[in-house]
Amino acid sequence: MFRALMIGAVSALTLSAAAFAQQGGTEQEARAMLSKAVAAVKADQVVAIAMFIKGEGGFRDRDLYPFCFRIADGKTLASPKAVPAGTDVRSLKDSKGNAYGPAIYAAAQKPEGCGVGYYK
């Protein structure tokens, strides 16, 4: 059941480098959130996804948040408000139009890719 989800802790790209250094989460903080998110999903997937969406339980910290999608169809389950639930992760692009979703989806196809990710 857990293999059905890809979970990553994401650091938003909307801040300048200086602002990010002062206000953004660090890679270590993202990895800690990721570990916590994986444990929450293993304990109760439905409750964990609801907490991710609401940002409860420490799952929203500055620009850090869990990002989840189903591997089977690439549909998002928990993501930033700018990405509606049900969006195909493979269609995601940055503000310059560069596609990054296919790389995230491809990483999730690998056994070591599930539950592991820090995207900046």
mmCIF file of all heavy atoms in Angstrom, residues 48-68:
data_model
loop_
_atom_site.group_PDB
_atom_site.id
_atom_site.type_symbol
_atom_site.label_atom_id
_atom_site.label_comp_id
_atom_site.label_asym_id
_atom_site.label_seq_id
_atom_site.Cartn_x
_atom_site.Cartn_y
_atom_site.Cartn_z
ATOM 1 N N ALA A 48 -2.874 10.822 7.403
ATOM 2 C CA ALA A 48 -1.653 11.542 7.025
ATOM 3 C C ALA A 48 -1.912 12.498 5.869
ATOM 4 O O ALA A 48 -1.518 13.669 5.927
ATOM 5 C CB ALA A 48 -0.555 10.556 6.655
ATOM 6 N N ILE A 49 -2.585 12.031 4.824
ATOM 7 C CA ILE A 49 -2.869 12.890 3.665
ATOM 8 C C ILE A 49 -3.708 14.093 4.097
ATOM 9 O O ILE A 49 -3.449 15.221 3.680
ATOM 10 C CB ILE A 49 -3.577 12.105 2.540
ATOM 11 C CG1 ILE A 49 -2.677 10.986 2.001
ATOM 12 C CG2 ILE A 49 -4.028 13.029 1.422
ATOM 13 C CD1 ILE A 49 -1.428 11.428 1.300
ATOM 14 N N ALA A 50 -4.686 13.867 4.957
ATOM 15 C CA ALA A 50 -5.521 14.983 5.443
ATOM 16 C C ALA A 50 -4.666 15.993 6.208
ATOM 17 O O ALA A 50 -4.842 17.209 6.045
ATOM 18 C CB ALA A 50 -6.637 14.452 6.330
ATOM 19 N N MET A 51 -3.737 15.508 7.025
ATOM 20 C CA MET A 51 -2.856 16.409 7.774
ATOM 21 C C MET A 51 -1.946 17.192 6.824
ATOM 22 O O MET A 51 -1.709 18.380 7.022
ATOM 23 C CB MET A 51 -2.016 15.623 8.777
ATOM 24 C CG MET A 51 -2.816 15.081 9.940
ATOM 25 S SD MET A 51 -1.844 14.035 11.043
ATOM 26 C CE MET A 51 -0.750 15.236 11.770
ATOM 27 N N PHE A 52 -1.435 16.528 5.784
ATOM 28 C CA PHE A 52 -0.571 17.205 4.812
ATOM 29 C C PHE A 52 -1.329 18.337 4.133
ATOM 30 O O PHE A 52 -0.818 19.443 3.979
ATOM 31 C CB PHE A 52 -0.068 16.234 3.744
ATOM 32 C CG PHE A 52 0.741 15.070 4.239
ATOM 33 C CD1 PHE A 52 0.961 13.993 3.414
ATOM 34 C CD2 PHE A 52 1.276 15.037 5.527
ATOM 35 C CE1 PHE A 52 1.717 12.906 3.834
ATOM 36 C CE2 PHE A 52 2.031 13.947 5.957
ATOM 37 C CZ PHE A 52 2.243 12.881 5.111
ATOM 38 N N ILE A 53 -2.553 18.049 3.712
ATOM 39 C CA ILE A 53 -3.362 19.043 2.994
ATOM 40 C C ILE A 53 -3.645 20.260 3.877
ATOM 41 O O ILE A 53 -3.557 21.400 3.429
ATOM 42 C CB ILE A 53 -4.673 18.411 2.482
ATOM 43 C CG1 ILE A 53 -4.358 17.404 1.362
ATOM 44 C CG2 ILE A 53 -5.658 19.479 1.994
ATOM 45 C CD1 ILE A 53 -5.528 16.517 0.981
ATOM 46 N N LYS A 54 -3.967 20.011 5.144
ATOM 47 C CA LYS A 54 -4.290 21.093 6.076
ATOM 48 C C LYS A 54 -3.047 21.759 6.667
ATOM 49 O O LYS A 54 -3.150 22.827 7.258
ATOM 50 C CB LYS A 54 -5.162 20.561 7.210
ATOM 51 C CG LYS A 54 -6.529 20.098 6.753
ATOM 52 C CD LYS A 54 -7.290 19.501 7.912
ATOM 53 C CE LYS A 54 -8.618 18.923 7.464
ATOM 54 N NZ LYS A 54 -9.286 18.203 8.559
ATOM 55 N N GLY A 55 -1.897 21.108 6.535
ATOM 56 C CA GLY A 55 -0.681 21.644 7.136
ATOM 57 C C GLY A 55 -0.631 21.440 8.637
ATOM 58 O O GLY A 55 0.100 22.131 9.341
ATOM 59 N N GLU A 56 -1.387 20.489 9.137
ATOM 60 C CA GLU A 56 -1.443 20.217 10.571
ATOM 61 C C GLU A 56 -0.280 19.322 10.996
ATOM 62 O O GLU A 56 0.340 18.639 10.189
ATOM 63 C CB GLU A 56 -2.761 19.526 10.927
ATOM 64 C CG GLU A 56 -3.977 20.371 10.710
ATOM 65 C CD GLU A 56 -5.273 19.638 10.983
ATOM 66 O OE1 GLU A 56 -5.271 18.405 11.088
ATOM 67 O OE2 GLU A 56 -6.294 20.330 11.067
ATOM 68 N N GLY A 57 -0.015 19.319 12.288
ATOM 69 C CA GLY A 57 0.984 18.428 12.849
ATOM 70 C C GLY A 57 2.407 18.749 12.431
ATOM 71 O O GLY A 57 3.265 17.879 12.404
ATOM 72 N N GLY A 58 2.655 20.005 12.084
ATOM 73 C CA GLY A 58 3.996 20.394 11.671
ATOM 74 C C GLY A 58 4.293 20.092 10.221
ATOM 75 O O GLY A 58 5.456 20.138 9.801
ATOM 76 N N PHE A 59 3.271 19.799 9.429
ATOM 77 C CA PHE A 59 3.484 19.485 8.018
ATOM 78 C C PHE A 59 3.377 20.702 7.096
ATOM 79 O O PHE A 59 3.212 20.570 5.892
ATOM 80 C CB PHE A 59 2.531 18.379 7.561
ATOM 81 C CG PHE A 59 2.892 17.041 8.144
ATOM 82 C CD1 PHE A 59 2.050 16.400 9.022
ATOM 83 C CD2 PHE A 59 4.094 16.443 7.820
ATOM 84 C CE1 PHE A 59 2.387 15.170 9.559
ATOM 85 C CE2 PHE A 59 4.449 15.214 8.353
ATOM 86 C CZ PHE A 59 3.590 14.582 9.224
ATOM 87 N N ARG A 60 3.505 21.886 7.644
ATOM 88 C CA ARG A 60 3.647 23.112 6.867
ATOM 89 C C ARG A 60 4.564 23.994 7.691
ATOM 90 O O ARG A 60 4.210 24.421 8.774
ATOM 91 C CB ARG A 60 2.299 23.781 6.636
ATOM 92 C CG ARG A 60 2.359 25.042 5.863
ATOM 93 C CD ARG A 60 2.012 24.998 4.401
ATOM 94 N NE ARG A 60 1.011 24.027 4.026
ATOM 95 C CZ ARG A 60 0.964 23.496 2.813
ATOM 96 N NH1 ARG A 60 1.812 23.854 1.906
ATOM 97 N NH2 ARG A 60 0.060 22.600 2.508
ATOM 98 N N ASP A 61 5.773 24.201 7.207
ATOM 99 C CA ASP A 61 6.763 24.984 7.946
ATOM 100 C C ASP A 61 7.466 25.900 6.960
ATOM 101 O O ASP A 61 8.257 25.443 6.131
ATOM 102 C CB ASP A 61 7.764 24.048 8.631
ATOM 103 C CG ASP A 61 8.837 24.795 9.416
ATOM 104 O OD1 ASP A 61 8.687 26.014 9.642
ATOM 105 O OD2 ASP A 61 9.824 24.154 9.789
ATOM 106 N N ARG A 62 7.145 27.191 7.030
ATOM 107 C CA ARG A 62 7.680 28.171 6.081
ATOM 108 C C ARG A 62 7.402 27.703 4.653
ATOM 109 O O ARG A 62 6.260 27.637 4.251
ATOM 110 C CB ARG A 62 9.160 28.428 6.339
ATOM 111 C CG ARG A 62 9.425 29.084 7.684
ATOM 112 C CD ARG A 62 10.837 28.959 8.111
ATOM 113 N NE ARG A 62 11.069 27.554 8.449
ATOM 114 C CZ ARG A 62 12.253 27.031 8.684
ATOM 115 N NH1 ARG A 62 13.330 27.769 8.592
ATOM 116 N NH2 ARG A 62 12.388 25.767 9.009
ATOM 117 N N ASP A 63 8.437 27.353 3.904
ATOM 118 C CA ASP A 63 8.217 26.918 2.523
ATOM 119 C C ASP A 63 8.361 25.402 2.383
ATOM 120 O O ASP A 63 8.504 24.892 1.280
ATOM 121 C CB ASP A 63 9.199 27.633 1.586
ATOM 122 C CG ASP A 63 10.642 27.317 1.905
ATOM 123 O OD1 ASP A 63 10.944 26.876 3.027
ATOM 124 O OD2 ASP A 63 11.488 27.516 1.034
ATOM 125 N N LEU A 64 8.291 24.681 3.479
ATOM 126 C CA LEU A 64 8.386 23.224 3.450
ATOM 127 C C LEU A 64 7.009 22.603 3.650
ATOM 128 O O LEU A 64 6.239 23.056 4.495
ATOM 129 C CB LEU A 64 9.313 22.721 4.561
ATOM 130 C CG LEU A 64 10.762 23.172 4.485
ATOM 131 C CD1 LEU A 64 11.514 22.680 5.714
ATOM 132 C CD2 LEU A 64 11.417 22.672 3.216
ATOM 133 N N TYR A 65 6.720 21.565 2.876
ATOM 134 C CA TYR A 65 5.459 20.846 2.990
ATOM 135 C C TYR A 65 5.604 19.506 2.284
ATOM 136 O O TYR A 65 6.398 19.366 1.351
ATOM 137 C CB TYR A 65 4.310 21.650 2.357
ATOM 138 C CG TYR A 65 4.617 22.107 0.952
ATOM 139 C CD1 TYR A 65 4.360 21.286 -0.143
ATOM 140 C CD2 TYR A 65 5.208 23.342 0.715
ATOM 141 C CE1 TYR A 65 4.676 21.696 -1.426
ATOM 142 C CE2 TYR A 65 5.529 23.753 -0.567
ATOM 143 C CZ TYR A 65 5.258 22.924 -1.625
ATOM 144 O OH TYR A 65 5.578 23.320 -2.896
ATOM 145 N N PRO A 66 4.836 18.492 2.705
ATOM 146 C CA PRO A 66 4.857 17.224 1.975
ATOM 147 C C PRO A 66 4.129 17.363 0.643
ATOM 148 O O PRO A 66 3.163 18.119 0.526
ATOM 149 C CB PRO A 66 4.093 16.259 2.887
ATOM 150 C CG PRO A 66 4.053 16.929 4.213
ATOM 151 C CD PRO A 66 4.074 18.396 3.927
ATOM 152 N N PHE A 67 4.591 16.648 -0.322
ATOM 153 C CA PHE A 67 4.021 16.622 -1.667
ATOM 154 C C PHE A 67 3.824 15.153 -2.005
ATOM 155 O O PHE A 67 4.787 14.391 -1.991
ATOM 156 C CB PHE A 67 5.008 17.278 -2.633
ATOM 157 C CG PHE A 67 4.590 17.248 -4.064
ATOM 158 C CD1 PHE A 67 3.749 18.223 -4.556
ATOM 159 C CD2 PHE A 67 5.046 16.262 -4.927
ATOM 160 C CE1 PHE A 67 3.363 18.211 -5.889
ATOM 161 C CE2 PHE A 67 4.666 16.250 -6.255
ATOM 162 C CZ PHE A 67 3.818 17.225 -6.737
ATOM 163 N N CYS A 68 2.588 14.738 -2.244
ATOM 164 C CA CYS A 68 2.300 13.326 -2.486
ATOM 165 C C CYS A 68 1.507 13.136 -3.764
ATOM 166 O O CYS A 68 0.627 13.938 -4.082
ATOM 167 C CB CYS A 68 1.470 12.739 -1.352
ATOM 168 S SG CYS A 68 2.205 12.910 0.253
#
